[in-house]
Amino acid sequence: MGNHFQLSAKILDLSDKVMFDIRPVFAEIDEIAQANTEKVLAAFQRHRVSDVCFAGTTGYGYNDKGRETLDLLFADIMGTPAALVRTGFVSGTHAITTALFASLSPGQTLLSVTGIPYDTLHGVIGINSNGGGSTDSLKGSLKDYGISYSQVDLTEDGTPDISAITDAVQRSGAQNSGEIGAILIQRSRGYSSRRAITVSEIGEICKAVRSINKNINIFVDNCYGEFTEIIEPGNAGADLMAGSLIKGPGGGIAPRGGYIAGREDLIEAAAYRQTAPGIGGECGATPEGYRQYYQGLFMAPHTVAQALKTAVFASRLLELCGYKTFPKYDDFRSDIVQVVEFNSPELLDRFCKGIQKASPVDSFAAPIPSDMPGYDYPVIMAAGAFNQGATIELSADGPLREPYNVYIQGGLTFESGKLGIMLAVDELIK
């Protein structure tokens, strides 16, 4: 390796050891990427993708072949009957919110079975950070529409509590207990220390819920999880899932947007929420065209593999430097997120500054903790990304609260991701 960045001898030596240790893990990641690439390529051929699909439309966007074919591709790849892929979704939270409203009716209850959801969903649901009712519920939240909330926490070892889930479903509709309209499964860890939920575990939840009540909609927040396994939640029985195109399924190329995939009636309801009842998915132009979205989806299995390799490298390197990391480098992964516990706001700050300095874009900038929309505390975010906020590109962020964890995501190429992690760790040991 050339040493353009004047990395210390210690970091270079540690890097060599890490690369030796993680070779078997990389082989497993490559196998998953190969299987997912085959699945995506077959879908492109099956749905007869051509350059006509890349053309843009204006105005209402009627008869938009690019939009319609992209919907078919996502449905096929995500293992669902239908999908709604739209460039107008401003974030994963936007797509998730649309899906939740499609899954629920006033008077029903949303039951989260993976504990408290990610911070940006608290305002959507109308709860506080402890899962309780908020006295200042945001206008337009689920609570504002008469939809209540309940949750089942994970077990101590981070697995879904199937017994508690079935008990909650059985109590649904009883006195002082609202009828459960939808189950929420958050696949990734959010700003918590728990591990990601696997597709197999999602299947177990689906089976348990349906053994009691087949009418409850099962929704999966799929952010950060796409293409980390060979199958997706739709293959395991989920009714609906959603995610962001500036994460895994955009392959680092899609500039914005999100997707919802699932049952046809729920996709229609989501389209009505996204536009208007009676209009739904029949409208919505993308004047600049769709080439980046198709190309991003095609590249996604490979790009996600690069992000996973970067996370594995980071886990092992920081573990060797004495920090607590989770997952461990050789643990099974169902999302691209790597967590490191610093127990120090100064170390969190230094690491994030190191990631920013290692970025191809805005490397000269310094991230500082600040208030962010959807969060109740300051957050430091480092990401010198080609697409603003794209967490499939190398990024690191964390809330300014104990135990001062950093959450590492992305890496468009392993080579650049590896360098970024080495430079950030070098900042810690100077």
Side-chain angles (χ1 to χ4, degrees), residues 122-239:
H122 296 178
V124 172
I125 297 169
I127 57 174
N128 58 35
S129 58
N130 297 316
S134 173
T135 56
D136 57 347
S137 176
L138 296 176
K139 189 69 176 175
S141 68
L142 292 173
K143 181 183 178 183
D144 195 42
Y145 278 80
I147 297 167
S148 56
Y149 171 80
S150 183
Q151 74 183 48
V152 173
D153 292 328
L154 298 168
T155 63
E156 288 186 4
D157 64 357
T159 58
D161 192 334
I162 299 297
S163 176
I165 293 169
T166 54
D167 286 346
V169 173
Q170 287 171 336
R171 292 194 307 269
S172 175
Q175 188 176 8
N176 300 322
S177 176
E179 177 189 5
I180 295 173
I183 298 287
L184 167 61
I185 302 170
Q186 182 179 294
R187 185 172 175 181
S188 190
R189 67 199 70 235
Y191 278 158
S192 74
S193 301
R194 73 158 172 90
R195 62 175 181 78
I197 305 300
T198 67
V199 175
S200 174
E201 289 170 331
I202 291 170
E204 291 175 10
I205 294 170
C206 293
K207 182 178 179 181
V209 170
R210 296 226 169 81
S211 70
I212 301 168
N213 188 334
K214 293 181 171 60
N215 296 319
I216 294 176
N217 298 317
I218 301 174
F219 168 73
V220 178
D221 170 359
N222 208 31
C223 287
Y224 301 104
E226 299 94 349
F227 300 114
T228 59
E229 297 190 48
I230 292 174
I231 60 173
E232 297 292 337
N235 303 112
D239 294 302

